[in-house]
Amino acid sequence: MKKSKLEKLDLELYQETLDNGLEVYIVPKENVNGIYATFSTKFGSAYDEFIPNGSKKMIKVPLGVAHFLEHKMFEQKDDVDPFTFYSERGCDANANTSNYKTTYLFSGANSFNDNLNYLLDYVQEPYFTDENVEKEKGIIEQEINMYADEPFFKMYDGIIYNSFINHPIKYPIAGTVKDVYSITKDDLYRCYNTFYHPANMFLIVTGNVDPNEVIELVKINQENKKFDKFEQVKIKEYDEPNKVEKKLEKVSMDIEIPKIGIGYKIDCSKIKKNISDIKTYLSIMLDIKLGNTSKLNEDLHNLNLITHDIDITLINTDKHILIMIMLESNNSDKVLELIGEELKDLSISEEDLDRKKKVRKSNCIYRSDSIYSINNKIMGNIMNYGEIVLDDYKKIDELNIKDMKNIIKNISLDNITTYIIDKA
């Protein structure tokens, strides 16, 4: 087992890749009582066209399969569901699906060995039947409809949908109701057998644990299981244009204050940097221009044009970054005008960049106290870089005004979509 130091954080990382390909990461933290474990597969909602394991032909599965699969993993053959199992031991359990991964997790200090064995077992023992698949469809339909009634969720999905044309990231993670009702048991097994191989998964344990005991437990658990040979999954590549699908959409809902959403679709193909690094630079620039300490944010509050701070989210494909800006205002025209004026000049000073770098370093120290933040940091590193960043300070120090200027020079905010939710 390889041991590394997480620099400046007074933490150690233990990692090992098992014979079956499963990557295991452990960060012990003795001064806490809790333990947090996440078991993830590199399979999310954006992977709807791929070559299944054991095949040579590209197939397309219904939208929402990854999310549907997450739901069905909680149904076990012995009728003891994970939520019940963990609650009986005073622990919490959950799962989540994103565009590019699905994660199963538990947290709690009690019965750790049993908890970890159970996590590995239930995720690696699928139980899908025609009956239990049909039963789940109505449950997921209710979930989809619930989010459709939430203004900011509706706007979030609307901005993404109107921004992308060909890439499946444009669709909600849960899919549409129509897609959900078309999902079959065979679809689930086909996706499971392709993406849920240990060589496409990783386990992260953070908290008050002994790394040697954890890795030994995981090895024994995995040695008793047989898996087919893993073939690297071939995912369809999409020719996504730079233009947006739809420039403006207005809808009405039963709300008190109108909501405004803006999406800037950024082409990153000309920038010779990892897209996650580009996101970092853009998030810093946007924080300076529109963040809660920005002059524009202060002006908008003083003019009573917004009720809360501006919310900024960045998501990406392999070639594009979508900047999403969301807020509430009774004067959408004026707010859109002022934001547009502010973003005409994207330049920032080296002093502003240095100030934000110091904030990021402070956040690193703050996050190192949380077993959840440590776990999420490792998970993000794996998904964004394919490796663990051992020195976050060094990576922050490498941020520089020259790269910032080069990125700003090579991006355009011309491809924009606006989504407005008015009072009904």
Side-chain angles (χ1 to χ4, degrees):
M1 185 163 52
K2 181 182 178 181
K3 177 181 174 182
S4 307
K5 184 178 180 181
L6 294 177
E7 299 292 340
K8 314 291 192 304
L9 302 181
D10 194 27
L11 295 170
E12 292 177 333
L13 169 69
Y14 296 78
Q15 61 187 98
E16 184 166 343
T17 301
L18 304 191
D19 291 340
N20 63 14
L22 177 64
E23 297 175 4
V24 182
Y25 302 86
I26 307 162
V27 179
K29 195 168 176 60
E30 296 179 356
N31 62 341
V32 298
N33 293 324
I35 302 170
Y36 183 48
T38 58
F39 192 22
S40 303
T41 174
K42 298 170 186 175
F43 175 49
S45 63
Y47 299 151
D48 68 332
E49 291 190 67
F50 57 89
I51 298 177
N53 196 23
S55 176
K56 295 182 179 180
K57 184 179 179 181
M58 186 80 66
I59 67 165
K60 181 176 177 60
V61 295
L63 297 170
V65 166
H67 174 259
F68 200 117
L69 191 51
E70 174 215 312
H71 271 239
K72 292 317 302 169
M73 292 309 303
F74 281 83
E75 184 148 6
Q76 296 295 292
K77 194 172 185 178
D78 60 6
D79 290 332
V80 178
D81 70 273
F83 291 118
T84 301
F85 179 91
Y86 287 109
S87 65
E88 288 176 348
R89 288 155 181 80
C91 300
D92 294 322
N94 213 331
N96 56 74
T97 304
S98 67
N99 296 127
Y100 301 110
K101 72 170 179 63
T102 306
T103 298
Y104 303 85
L105 58 93
F106 75 83
S107 62
N110 303 324
S111 308
F112 171 72
N113 287 4
D114 289 343
N115 289 342
L116 185 56
N117 268 317
Y118 189 76
L119 175 66
L120 294 168
D121 287 345
Y122 90 77
V123 175
Q124 293 183 327
E125 294 176 6
Y127 176 60
F128 311 138
T129 67
D130 292 329
E131 292 75 18
N132 69 31
V133 169
E134 286 302 313
K135 180 185 69 175
E136 199 69 30
K137 293 178 179 180
I139 296 172
I140 296 179
E141 179 184 8
Q142 290 179 350
E143 181 180 343
I144 291 172
N145 291 335
M146 177 186 71
Y147 283 118
D149 288 334
E150 291 288 336
F152 278 107
F153 280 110
K154 185 180 182 69
M155 184 163 63
Y156 179 93
D157 286 343
I159 295 170
I160 299 175
Y161 185 85
N162 291 345
S163 296
F164 291 94
I165 296 174
N166 297 325
H167 200 286
I169 200 173
K170 73 183 273 116
Y171 300 105
I173 288 171
T176 65
V177 172
K178 180 179 179 181
D179 285 303
V180 166
Y181 276 93
S182 72
I183 292 173
T184 67
K185 175 185 69 176
D186 291 339
D187 291 326
L188 298 182
Y189 273 118
R190 192 173 292 116
C191 292
Y192 183 91
N193 292 332
T194 299
F195 292 98
Y196 277 67
H197 191 284
N200 196 51
M201 304 184 74
F202 55 95
L203 173 72
I204 307 172
V205 179
T206 51
N208 198 340
V209 296
D210 182 320
N212 293 309
E213 291 179 3
V214 173
I215 197 67
E216 187 63 24
L217 185 154
V218 175
K219 284 181 177 180
I220 292 173
N221 180 284
Q222 296 298 285
E223 286 170 357
N224 294 326
K225 300 172 182 178
K226 293 182 179 179
F227 301 94
D228 294 334
K229 181 181 178 181
F230 180 69
E231 299 177 9
Q232 191 63 42
V233 186
K234 174 66 176 178
I235 309 292
K236 180 176 177 178
E237 296 181 2
Y238 295 89
D239 182 18
E240 177 65 34
N242 294 329
K243 65 179 182 179
V244 298
E245 173 79 36
K246 190 175 184 179
K247 293 185 176 182
L248 174 65
E249 182 169 0
K250 292 185 177 182
V251 299
S252 297
M253 294 183 72
D254 184 16
I255 55 175
E256 293 184 2
I257 303 174
K259 323 295 181 190
I260 306 168
I262 312 167
Y264 294 100
K265 186 178 181 182
I266 310 295
D267 172 25
C268 299
S269 60
K270 296 179 181 179
I271 305 172
K272 295 180 180 179
K273 291 191 75 68
N274 181 292
I275 200 157
S276 293
D277 290 331
I278 300 173
K279 280 176 69 176
T280 298
Y281 277 104
L282 290 180
S283 66
I284 290 174
M285 181 269 290
L286 290 164
D287 188 25
I288 293 169
K289 294 291 184 181
L290 308 177
N292 56 15
T293 61
S294 68
K295 184 179 184 305
L296 177 64
N297 185 73
E298 182 182 356
D299 290 344
L300 292 174
H301 276 292
N302 290 337
L303 293 169
N304 293 318
L305 288 173
I306 59 175
T307 56
H308 302 287
D309 292 337
I310 299 170
D311 182 76
I312 304 169
T313 304
L314 283 75
I315 67 168
N316 67 278
T317 64
D318 56 337
K319 297 178 181 178
H320 291 90
I321 290 175
L322 177 64
I323 298 169
M324 287 191 288
I325 298 169
M326 297 187 290
L327 51 93
E328 291 183 330
S329 176
N330 283 308
N331 192 338
S332 59
D333 289 340
K334 186 63 177 177
V335 169
L336 289 170
E337 176 190 340
L338 291 174
I339 290 176
E341 284 294 323
E342 181 66 23
L343 296 182
K344 281 183 178 180
D345 178 11
L346 299 180
S347 62
I348 65 169
S349 68
E350 189 167 5
E351 291 74 19
D352 280 336
L353 176 59
D354 288 340
R355 178 166 51 86
K356 291 301 179 181
K357 287 165 66 173
K358 290 178 182 177
V359 172
R360 285 179 172 256
K361 287 182 178 180
S362 297
N363 289 339
C364 285
I365 297 174
Y366 176 77
R367 289 196 301 267
S368 69
D369 285 333
S370 166
I371 59 175
Y372 305 98
S373 295
I374 297 166
N375 200 300
N376 290 335
K377 170 246 184 329
I378 296 170
M379 191 181 302
N381 286 171
I382 293 168
M383 295 303 299
N384 293 327
Y385 301 107
E387 61 182 9
I388 308 302
V389 178
L390 298 176
D391 191 340
D392 287 320
Y393 271 41
K394 180 180 178 182
K395 193 160 186 64
I396 293 170
D397 282 333
E398 289 172 349
L399 299 171
N400 61 85
I401 196 68
K402 180 180 178 181
D403 283 344
M404 175 69 84
K405 289 180 177 179
N406 182 58
I407 289 171
I408 291 173
K409 177 183 176 182
N410 284 285
I411 65 170
S412 168
L413 298 185
D414 292 341
N415 298 304
I416 178 175
T417 183
T418 305
Y419 196 98
I420 297 175
I421 304 179
D422 284 322
K423 293 183 286 187

